[in-house]
């Protein structure tokens, strides 16, 4: 019997078959050979597209910003009759590709919300102009005579930021307001510290300082707040309701700093100004501050009378300043020290004609109070 003849492999095609570019089967399957693609030839990266006149205009207007900013703030300064919001967004992208702008927050971060288990909306990226680019932009905006327009728009945008922050402070999670103010602290500080252009610009800055009352009175920045208020009050000589509120806030901060004489003087002026404008909310807050001063002097009877006046008030504008709950707590403390019957405030007290102004005015809709100069929430950091 003839033995089987061994098979001799003469070529790879006998093993691989007729399919080209395939490796012989392995325990985990077959791998396909990819065709060779030569690497790109080395060379300089393509240059960005040249900047347009709109890009240069947005660049110049953004140069008045002291620190980093987001697209909302850039739109507040860049949008005008000849530049739309879409133009500003496109200009930011081109300025970023041309390295005129630096992105300081690349990945979107979740904004804080009242419910920690629910993720907040993505916070937009933030940008910054390097020092050299800011110097070039400032020279251009000054040469064009638009620096004052840009500074006024910047201060109005900061007033809207401060108004949104104080509304968030009255919400369920005050950390939202703190986060917003901390993120925009450089811009807010510049809006308060830069010399105002005129009386109207100073009034906008004063309104910003009043809206940040919680930062000065609650977050431990009383001296900074008193400094800003004192300087801006000297620039705002007109008798306005905002000035009355600023006088009250300055007096309340002075009372917290144990500057009792200064506080009494400021509260007297605030009461007279609020009475002229029939601002019952400010009169109630003056009563609260006077109750605090009376408690400091251990005059519990007078403190009870002032605090009861503040606690019984129904606020028309509940966004700024301590609400009735604060007055009710201090009233309970004063009553515990003096008994339920407090000493009434004399009719010829320090308020004068302010005592005749009722503390409960006609109710108005909430949309009529404390609306910022710019509509809409800011960059998803508002209360949710």
């Amino acid at each position: 019997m003839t033995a089987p003849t061994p098979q001799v492999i003469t070529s790879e095609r006998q093993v691989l078959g007729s399919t080209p570019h395939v490796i012989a089967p392995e325990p985990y399957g077959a791998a396909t050979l990819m065709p060779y693609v030569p690497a790109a030839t080395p060379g300089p990266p393509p240059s960005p597209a040249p900047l347009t006149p709109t890009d240069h205009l947005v660049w110049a207007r953004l140069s008045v910003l002291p620190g980093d900013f987001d697209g909302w703030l850039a739109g507040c300064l860049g949008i005008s009759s000849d530049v739309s919001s879409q133009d500003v967004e496109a200009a930011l992208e081109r300025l970023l590709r041309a390295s005129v702008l630096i992105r300081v927050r690349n990945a979107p971060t979740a904004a804080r919300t009242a419910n920690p288990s629910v993720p907040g909306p993505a916070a937009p990226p933030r940008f910054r102009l390097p020092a050299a680019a800011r110097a070039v932009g400032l020279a251009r905006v000054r040469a064009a005579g638009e620096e004052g327009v840009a500074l006024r728009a910047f201060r109005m945008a900061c007033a809207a930021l401060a108004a949104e922050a104080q509304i968030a402070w009255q919400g369920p999670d005050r950390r939202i307001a703190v986060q917003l103010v901390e993120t925009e602290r450089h811009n807010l500080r510049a809006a308060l510290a830069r010399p105002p252009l005129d009386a109207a610009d100073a009034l906008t800055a004063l309104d910003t300082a009043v809206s940040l009352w919680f930062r000065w009175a609650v977050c431990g920045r009383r001296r900074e707040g008193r400094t800003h208020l004192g300087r801006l009050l000297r620039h705002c000589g007109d008798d306005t309701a905002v000035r009355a509120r600023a006088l009250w806030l300055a007096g309340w901060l002075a009372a917290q700093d144990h500057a009792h004489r200064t506080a009494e003087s400021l509260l007297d002026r605030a009461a007279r100004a609020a009475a002229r404008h029939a601002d019952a909310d400010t009169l109630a807050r003056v009563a609260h501050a006077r109750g605090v001063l009376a408690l400091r002097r251990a005059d519990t009877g007078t403190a009870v009378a002032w605090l009861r006046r503040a606690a019984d008030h129904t606020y028309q504008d509940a966004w700024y300043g301590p609400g009735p709950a604060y007055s009710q707590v201090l009233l309970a403390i004063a009553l515990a020290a003096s008994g339920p019957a407090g000493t009434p405030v004399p009719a010829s007290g320090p308020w004068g004609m302010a005592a005749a102004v009722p503390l409960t005015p006609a109710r108005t809709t909430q949309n009529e109070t404390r609306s910022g100069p710019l509509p809409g929430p800011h960059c998803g950091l508002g209360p949710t």
Side-chain angles (χ1 to χ4, degrees), residues 136-374:
V136 172
L138 278 175
R140 289 176 176 172
V141 76
R142 288 169 180 170
E146 291 192 355
E147 184 181 14
V149 176
L151 288 174
R152 194 180 301 276
F154 165 67
R155 190 163 271 135
M156 291 183 65
C158 289
L161 288 173
E164 182 182 348
Q166 74 166 349
I167 293 175
W169 179 264
Q170 303 291 3
D173 190 354
R174 291 177 172 176
R175 293 174 296 178
I176 298 174
V178 174
Q179 178 186 2
L180 174 57
V181 174
E182 283 298 318
T183 301
E184 303 289 351
R185 64 186 181 277
H186 300 296
N187 296 318
L188 293 171
R189 186 179 297 117
L192 295 173
R194 285 177 174 174
L197 303 174
D198 48 32
D201 196 41
L203 193 63
T204 303
L206 190 63
D207 193 27
T208 303
V210 173
S211 296
L212 295 174
W213 65 270
F214 63 92
R215 183 169 176 83
W216 319 133
V218 183
C219 299
R221 297 182 177 272
R222 289 192 299 269
R223 291 190 177 181
E224 181 183 357
R226 292 183 65 186
T227 300
H228 289 311
L229 288 167
R231 181 181 61 257
L232 293 172
L233 281 169
R234 289 191 293 269
H235 287 285
C236 297
D238 297 338
D239 185 13
T240 61
V242 174
R243 178 179 172 83
R245 295 183 178 191
L247 288 169
W248 155 77
L249 181 56
W252 188 35
L253 296 178
Q256 290 183 345
D257 271 346
H258 301 278
H260 294 171
R261 289 188 178 181
T262 303
E264 289 285 357
S265 174
L266 290 169
L267 292 175
D268 284 342
R269 295 166 59 190
R272 291 192 295 269
R276 286 192 295 269
H277 293 278
D279 188 353
D281 286 353
T282 300
L283 290 176
R285 292 187 172 98
V286 170
H288 174 91
R290 289 196 178 281
V292 172
L293 289 175
L295 284 177
R296 294 273 178 84
R297 296 192 303 266
D299 187 357
T300 55
T302 303
V304 165
W306 287 121
L307 291 172
R308 181 176 284 123
R309 185 180 177 95
D312 293 342
H313 174 63
T314 302
Y315 285 91
Q316 181 186 22
D317 183 358
W319 296 125
Y320 89 101
Y326 294 87
S327 303
Q328 292 166 3
V329 170
L330 292 180
L331 177 61
I333 295 174
L335 288 173
S338 64
T343 304
V345 178
S348 59
W351 270 16
M353 64 177 177
V357 178
L359 287 185
T360 306
R363 300 289 295 173
T364 60
T365 59
Q366 190 63 51
N367 293 333
E368 294 174 355
T369 59
R370 299 295 294 173
S371 60
L374 296 172

Side-chain angles (χ1 to χ4, degrees), residues 66-114:
D68 56 275
F69 54 91
D70 61 2
W72 180 87
L73 188 56
C76 292
L77 271 71
I79 295 175
S80 62
S81 60
D82 54 344
V83 180
S84 64
S85 59
Q86 292 81 6
D87 293 336
V88 173
E89 294 177 2
L92 290 178
E93 292 297 328
R94 287 189 291 267
L95 291 173
L96 188 63
R97 288 196 298 267
S99 299
V100 176
L101 286 180
I102 297 176
R103 194 190 300 268
V104 297
R105 185 169 67 188
N106 291 319
T109 57
R112 192 183 299 276
T113 61

